[in-house]
Amino acid sequence: MDSSRVLLALEEGKKWRERQRRIQERIRQLERRRAYLLRELEHAQKKISEYAGIVMGLKESLLTKEAPPTPHIHVR
């Protein structure tokens, strides 16, 4: 077997291992980013739920308030 082909094969193997390492690192980064975004989403959903309750309470209090009394006008 030709020594140049052996060296080429070794370089190709090294190149592919390096590429695999970069891909695995990128996958780890994306997994961390996904976990962070899921935590942020959960936090936002809790806030939405909290604010929805507040809004519903305000709407109910506005609807249940008595209308202001109308002034009595005396017609002669």
Side-chain angles (χ1 to χ4, degrees):
M1 189 170 196
D2 189 12
S3 63
S4 63
R5 289 184 188 211
V6 170
L7 290 175
L8 181 62
L10 290 173
E11 288 176 15
E12 284 294 314
K14 182 180 176 183
K15 183 170 64 172
W16 283 106
R17 283 189 298 279
E18 182 62 27
R19 183 172 188 263
Q20 182 180 19
R21 186 196 60 78
R22 286 193 314 268
I23 290 170
Q24 288 171 342
E25 177 58 32
R26 181 64 178 147
I27 289 170
R28 282 192 293 274
Q29 288 174 353
L30 292 172
E31 287 171 348
R32 287 191 301 267
R33 177 76 174 156
R34 182 176 186 266
Y36 168 76
L37 291 174
L38 287 173
R39 285 191 306 271
E40 288 293 312
L41 177 62
E42 184 178 335
H43 179 73
Q45 288 172 335
K46 285 180 183 177
K47 286 292 184 181
I48 289 170
S49 176
E50 178 184 327
Y51 293 144
I54 292 171
V55 169
M56 288 300 293
L58 289 173
K59 283 183 179 179
E60 287 175 6
S61 70
L62 289 175
L63 292 175
T64 58
K65 278 187 179 178
E66 292 181 29
T70 57
H72 296 283
I73 300 174
H74 298 289
V75 179
R76 291 184 195 196

